[in-house]
Amino acid sequence: MMRAVTGLISAVVAITVLTACAGDDPYCTAVKDQESTLNSLGEKRTNAAYRSYARAFRSVAKVSPGSVKKDWTELAEVTASVLNAQDKAKIKLEEMTDQKKVAKLGTEQLKTLNNAYEAFNKTTPQREAVVKNVKEECDISLT
């Protein structure tokens, strides 16, 4: 009887510890809360989608560990800069496939957009760093 009680107590303690670790970590909780948005990055090229991506990056960046805080913050900033460039050029991201609208853009507008897109596209190292960290710290696989 004593073995059964000891085994039961050990199981309860193990479950409590595992649950407490997963539930108390604000970083992993933020990643889990934003997981579907983070995993859909780039699927939709609309202002609304990129606003959602930037919000998700900012949300996680606020509670991320120091080792990847800069990466999460950079992702948030560069995603927001794409939106800022779209606003400055007075064209929505989803309208960039409309050749007639794009043809009406001036040289400065196109330069502003191109610079923002290039900065966004250069974030592969940051994206790889956060994906690796989330897998190691939270056991969550981001795609």
Side-chain angles (χ1 to χ4, degrees):
M1 180 69 165
M2 190 59 154
R3 270 192 208 159
V5 171
T6 303
L8 180 60
I9 290 172
S10 296
V12 169
V13 169
I15 290 171
T16 303
V17 169
L18 290 174
T19 304
C21 290
D24 289 343
D25 184 351
Y27 175 57
C28 294
T29 299
V31 171
K32 191 69 176 163
D33 290 347
Q34 300 297 332
E35 186 175 7
S36 65
T37 300
L38 295 170
N39 279 332
S40 69
L41 180 65
E43 287 178 6
K44 293 181 183 177
R45 291 181 178 91
T46 66
N47 281 17
Y50 271 64
R51 256 195 279 328
S52 178
Y53 304 147
R55 267 193 308 270
F57 290 141
R58 272 193 302 274
S59 173
V60 176
K62 288 178 184 176
V63 293
S64 63
S67 61
V68 288
K69 185 174 280 296
K70 185 176 178 183
D71 296 313
W72 282 107
T73 302
E74 175 75 16
L75 290 168
E77 289 172 357
V78 78
T79 304
S81 75
V82 168
L83 291 167
N84 292 337
Q86 295 300 144
D87 288 344
K88 188 174 181 182
K90 297 182 182 355
I91 188 168
K92 293 180 180 178
L93 193 54
E94 55 267 33
E95 295 173 332
M96 292 303 292
T97 57
D98 185 331
Q99 292 180 357
K100 289 179 183 177
K101 288 184 179 186
V102 173
K104 292 179 184 178
L105 296 174
T107 304
E108 281 304 309
Q109 290 170 305
L110 290 170
K111 185 177 177 182
T112 297
L113 292 169
N114 191 53
N115 289 342
Y117 298 159
E118 283 183 0
F120 182 84
N121 290 334
K122 288 180 181 177
T123 60
T124 300
Q126 290 84 356
R127 286 181 270 149
E128 289 173 350
V130 300
V131 166
K132 181 180 178 188
N133 180 266
V134 165
K135 180 65 177 165
E136 291 172 355
E137 296 289 323
C138 308
D139 198 28
I140 297 172
S141 297
L142 298 177
T143 55

